[in-house]
Amino acid sequence: MPELLNPADPDFARDPYPYYARLRHEAPVRRVALANGTHAWLVTGYRQAREVLADPRFSNVPAPRAGRPRPVSAAQQARACLARHMLNSDAPDHTRLRRLTSAAFTPRRVDALRPRIEELTGQLVAQVAGRLEREGSADLVDAFAFPLPVLVIGEVLGVPEADRAELREWTYRVGSPADALAEGEVEEAWTALHGYFTALIAGKRRAPGTDVFSALVAESGAGALDDGELLAMAFLLLFAGYETTMNLLASACLLLLTHPGELAAARAGGPAGWAAVVEEVLRHASPLEGTTWRRTTQAVDLGAGTLIPAGASVLVVLAAAGRDPQRFADPDAFSPARYLPGAGDERAGAHLAFGHGPHFCLGARLARLEAAIALPALFEALPGLRLAAGADTLPYRPGLLVRGPRVLPVRAG
Ligand code: HEM
């Protein structure tokens, strides 16, 4: 009998690690039954996760909708359109889309965002400080971890600031399991996102900006991105760019507030200390709990008696791979020192929080840069920050894709 897994269960969302540890212990690649009645293979071992992510027999193209009704409603059509992005494609399509987009994400281009990120961070920290002074408490997700990545990805996409709160809400909804929200809310969000990006592209054709996305729009034509691909690309950059970084910042704040010794060590350790915190948060609290779904194009023998049939749905659980005791010593401990350059032979190996293989995160450098600026700025300006709620009472977003606390109430100490 396959194990049962209910991603909408709030207790599982808050702390899925004991479940994953048990699963990995039984078998690092294991078939489970999902609460919606379907079956899937979960990859929880580090070595197996790397293997699967680099193996072209695991396709990123979503399963054909054979036997299911064609998309008829506006929401279904919008969803199908926005889903045609490179994370949902295999070579050679993926190679072409990735090549065109990576031109925008060169290290030089990303590093050039530093002064703007510092400026935006400074403004947000001042607002958090002001709110704490006036009201005595603040929600760090709402006031800090959410707005910073949205502002930064907004710069990359050239999205007006006034539109960013709506985008957050729609993105949140389309990433949630349909049964976790009120009826119609997810459908409404797909339609709204489609309409918004169609208008954004038209606007950029009329009046291109200096942003990365304007450059992609201007390039569209023979061999480059067509209109449908541009639409899906905008959605992917938005969705991949801030929901993940928001969770990285929120989980980092939570871990530092609940581990004051590690916070003190980071403050004493300068840039290397903060960089180690960022790597350890990525490993310990992977902002993407799982990758996107893979599907086997043929039967795959992963050894040790694991035979995945053709056409099976496979989820690589990055959060579980980061806690694999075969790869990381004392994996459940939050210990940034394992990523310090001076850790020598004891230095921890690479985590998989940014994925692996052809779909390795395009925004990894940007995400690291944001976190390395944001965390010291916040904790240097507000050294007395304290959590204003029990860490184990905080709500987490349901589902298997992204993971992080949804609210983080703090007071000034
Ligand atoms: C902490 C923040 C982030 C994390 C943890 C993260 C993680 C990941 C992971 C695990 C993948 C691979 C998913 C898979 O194989 O199914 C991925 C892909 C991707 N990420 Fe990120 N990401 C982050 C931030 C960003 C940012 C800031 C951007 C862009 C502005 C971005 C853009 C992308 C894109 C475009 C892809 C698809 C690449 C492809 O299909 O070739 N990500 N990310």
Side-chain angles (χ1 to χ4, degrees):
M1 272 297 282
E3 280 273 345
L4 188 72
L5 171 57
N6 178 10
D9 173 358
D11 289 334
F12 173 79
R14 188 174 303 115
D15 185 13
Y17 292 103
Y19 176 88
Y20 290 141
R22 191 165 53 74
L23 216 60
R24 189 180 45 232
H25 184 70
E26 286 168 12
V29 181
R30 176 92 154 78
R31 186 160 170 258
V32 299
L34 298 172
N36 65 7
T38 60
H39 284 148
W41 291 77
L42 258 52
V43 183
T44 50
Y46 179 94
R47 186 177 59 75
Q48 294 80 1
R50 269 179 70 100
E51 265 174 44
V52 168
L53 292 176
D55 186 334
R57 291 174 298 175
F58 293 87
S59 166
N60 275 54
V61 177
R65 306 196 131 248
R68 291 187 223 166
R70 291 170 66 81
V72 280
S73 73
Q76 286 168 334
Q77 281 173 10
R79 182 184 180 150
C81 230
L82 294 172
R84 266 184 68 206
H85 55 66
M86 67 176 161
L87 197 42
N88 280 346
S89 68
D90 297 334
D93 269 359
H94 173 257
T95 323
R96 179 178 62 91
L97 293 169
R98 173 118 187 168
R99 185 166 31 80
L100 288 166
T101 325
S102 26
F105 282 92
T106 57
R108 201 165 53 87
R109 260 250 171 74
V110 170
D111 294 349
L113 286 167
R114 175 181 276 277
R116 187 69 186 127
I117 298 174
E118 285 172 348
E119 195 182 323
L120 294 168
T121 303
Q123 291 166 5
L124 287 177
V125 169
Q127 284 169 22
V128 174
R131 193 176 299 182
L132 286 171
E133 213 172 288
R134 280 192 316 276
E135 298 167 24
S137 69
D139 171 10
L140 272 190
V141 172
D142 198 52
F144 191 69
F146 158 61
L148 182 60
V150 180
L151 290 170
V152 173
I153 204 68
E155 301 269 321
V156 171
L157 280 178
V159 166
E161 221 170 308
D163 300 347
R164 294 176 194 174
E166 263 183 336
L167 283 179
R168 175 203 196 186
E169 176 60 23
W170 297 330
T171 311
Y172 173 78
R173 289 193 202 171
V174 300
S176 297
D179 51 5
L181 297 170
E183 208 187 321
E185 283 190 338
V186 177
E187 288 73 16
E188 215 177 81
W190 281 114
T191 316
L193 272 171
H194 186 276
Y196 182 83
F197 284 130
T198 305
L200 187 74
I201 293 168
K204 286 184 191 300
R205 280 205 202 291
R206 278 196 307 276
T210 53
D211 54 275
V212 170
F213 192 57
S214 287
L216 281 170
V217 174
E219 257 183 39
S220 58
L225 301 163
D226 64 32
D227 263 22
E229 288 170 340
L230 275 174
L231 202 65
M233 184 68 79
F235 170 70
L236 174 63
L237 289 175
L238 169 76
F239 192 70
Y242 83 75
E243 189 89 25
T244 46
T245 315
M246 168 172 108
N247 286 322
L248 169 62
L249 295 177
S251 292
C253 290
L254 176 60
L255 282 162
L256 290 169
L257 289 168
T258 50
H259 295 77
E262 300 303 349
L263 174 57
R267 296 186 61 202
W274 287 106
V277 165
V278 174
E279 294 314 303
E280 177 66 342
V281 175
L282 285 163
R283 181 198 69 81
H284 186 276
S286 184
L288 271 192
E289 188 162 333
T291 57
T292 49
W293 289 93
R294 301 299 199 262
R295 196 171 48 87
T296 44
T297 54
Q298 53 183 272
V300 179
D301 186 349
L302 285 175
T306 308
L307 185 70
I308 308 182
S313 297
V314 180
L315 185 71
V316 176
V317 187
L318 301 170
R323 302 270 190 116
D324 186 342
Q326 303 251 3
R327 176 68 183 184
F328 301 102
D330 199 3
D332 293 325
F334 174 63
S335 173
R338 70 172 94 222
Y339 281 111
L340 284 175
D345 288 350
E346 301 292 300
R347 193 167 197 269
H351 53 70
L352 295 181
F354 289 120
H356 176 67
H359 292 279
F360 180 83
C361 177
L362 205 62
R365 192 178 181 95
L366 178 60
R368 285 186 164 118
L369 180 67
E370 280 183 63
I373 292 171
L375 296 173
L378 179 73
F379 285 101
E380 292 306 331
L382 298 164
L385 271 189
R386 297 281 176 275
L387 206 54
D392 50 4
T393 63
L394 299 173
Y396 277 69
R397 181 194 225 294
L400 295 173
L401 186 57
V402 287
R403 184 170 180 278
R406 291 188 58 196
V407 294
L408 203 53
V410 290
R411 51 189 171 77

